[in-house]
Amino acid sequence: MVAPCILDPSLRAEGITRDEDLRAYAACLKRCSAFGLEVVPLPCAETLYLGRNRVPGTFTERLNTPEFELLIDRLEIEVRQIILQRGEPLCIIGADSSPACGVNTTWYSPEEKVNHRGVFLSRFREIPAIDAFDFARYRVYLASPLFTEAERRYNELIRDLLATHCFEVYLPQEVGQDSACRDKDAIDQIFQSHCEALKTTDWMVAIIDGADADSGTAWEIGYAYAKGIPVVSLRTDFRKAGHNEHVNLMLERSSVVVTRKEDLPHTLISPLHH
């Protein structure tokens, strides 16, 4: 289920929609399409109550009335009827800051932006909810050693785990020839392909097991960090580089380190974990 403005941004108050909002909404819908997720819009409580072409306002300014309370009572019944007919949704995709459909934050009053759901989404606390900007970030670059059968199979295991959480994974071992006999053109093609994938990824997951991290993986982590791409490093190796370090401190300080593959979906803000 989605906040209706993700499908129709014109439902939002005047002047608040930015280009980055539109890009995020489009990415949300693209992710749903890629993984075969049906998109069911919630009713827009604010538009039904205040109409289109409204000025922005907070809950206390515009919505804190008995009439609006009665409206969302009725809308909650309608939405629960849809759920009875179609089954429990994977999650609700909301729009942070919205007085009605905020997930993590909502404008409660002109002086106070609070850290909880908007008044309408609060009616469905049992359903996981995720902000549109978080749901829009689903493309993952998997940086890892890929030279042995064991390494390649483990990479595929991580890819498949993330795919079950609706993440699209770029797996470098699937690009180009994987033998030691590559010519210069093949090497250039592989390098360019990886660089292009890094330019468009939303996350990097890096496997940093071993006495020291793979050199190519270390380069990819550094590139991602410099470009502002969030990095989640997976280290299941129990060996430590120091009293307070799992591995090289430069890799740790440029990423979030988890020690179990099962922790990856939550760290990547999976819609199944909210």
Side-chain angles (χ1 to χ4, degrees):
M1 304 191 94
V2 301
C5 59
I6 292 170
L7 288 167
D8 182 2
S10 71
L11 294 172
R12 307 187 84 203
E14 290 183 331
I16 68 171
T17 302
R18 306 160 298 173
D19 289 344
E20 51 261 47
D21 296 318
L22 298 177
R23 287 193 293 268
Y25 298 165
C28 286
L29 298 177
K30 187 175 180 181
R31 183 180 192 179
C32 290
S33 176
F35 289 93
L37 302 176
E38 183 182 9
V39 177
V40 179
L42 292 166
C44 186
E46 289 184 74
T47 300
L48 290 171
Y49 185 60
L50 299 170
R52 288 179 177 266
N53 305 317
R54 61 189 180 276
V55 298
T58 65
F59 172 73
T60 58
E61 290 176 300
R62 311 293 300 280
L63 306 178
N64 190 20
T65 68
E67 293 79 13
F68 186 72
E69 185 80 12
L70 287 172
L71 173 62
I72 61 175
D73 285 344
R74 175 172 62 81
L75 296 179
E76 180 186 357
I77 293 170
E78 292 179 7
V79 171
R80 293 197 180 281
Q81 187 61 38
I82 293 171
I83 293 171
L84 276 175
Q85 295 170 352
R86 301 195 181 193
E88 287 290 325
L90 174 73
C91 67
I92 296 174
I93 307 172
D96 268 353
S97 299
S98 165
C101 291
V103 175
N104 305 301
T105 61
T106 180
W107 277 108
Y108 181 74
S109 70
E111 300 80 24
E112 187 178 17
K113 189 177 186 180
V114 294
N115 296 322
H116 63 64
R117 292 189 183 191
V119 63
F120 188 42
L121 256 59
S122 293
R123 297 295 185 96
F124 307 98
R125 291 192 179 276
E126 77 281 6
I127 301 175
I130 183 169
D131 176 57
F133 275 83
D134 291 327
F135 191 86
R137 295 164 59 218
Y138 68 98
R139 297 168 300 179
V140 175
Y141 185 105
L142 182 58
S144 60
L146 44 73
F147 305 104
T148 68
E149 181 180 359
E151 289 169 344
R152 291 191 293 271
R153 287 192 175 184
Y154 188 68
N155 296 340
E156 291 167 353
L157 176 68
I158 299 300
R159 176 201 59 196
D160 294 345
L161 168 66
L162 296 179
T164 64
H165 289 263
C166 303
F167 288 101
E168 181 180 284
V169 181
Y170 179 87
L171 197 60
Q173 69 196 46
E174 295 179 335
V175 178
Q177 186 186 26
D178 61 359
S179 76
C181 302
R182 296 173 293 201
D183 60 24
K184 183 180 183 302
D185 287 342
I187 291 171
D188 287 344
Q189 186 274 325
I190 291 170
F191 178 75
Q192 292 301 325
S193 177
H194 294 350
C195 287
E196 287 301 314
L198 283 165
K199 289 177 184 177
T200 58
T201 197
D202 301 307
W203 294 95
M204 174 176 287
V205 169
I207 311 299
I208 57 171
D209 283 335
D212 200 4
D214 168 69
S215 57
T217 301
W219 184 92
E220 289 163 325
I221 292 173
Y223 181 98
Y225 181 78
K227 293 293 185 181
I229 301 165
V231 181
V232 180
S233 292
L234 173 62
R235 183 169 175 82
T236 64
D237 198 324
F238 64 82
R239 292 172 291 183
K240 289 194 172 185
H243 183 69
N244 294 306
E245 299 165 48
H246 288 90
V247 69
N248 181 287
L249 72 89
M250 298 300 287
L251 301 184
E252 289 196 36
R253 292 303 179 187
S254 55
S255 66
V256 174
V257 179
V258 298
T259 57
R260 304 184 314 143
K261 65 181 185 298
E262 293 80 9
D263 293 330
L264 287 172
H266 174 75
T267 309
L268 296 172
I269 319 180
S270 162
L272 277 68
H273 274 256
H274 284 73

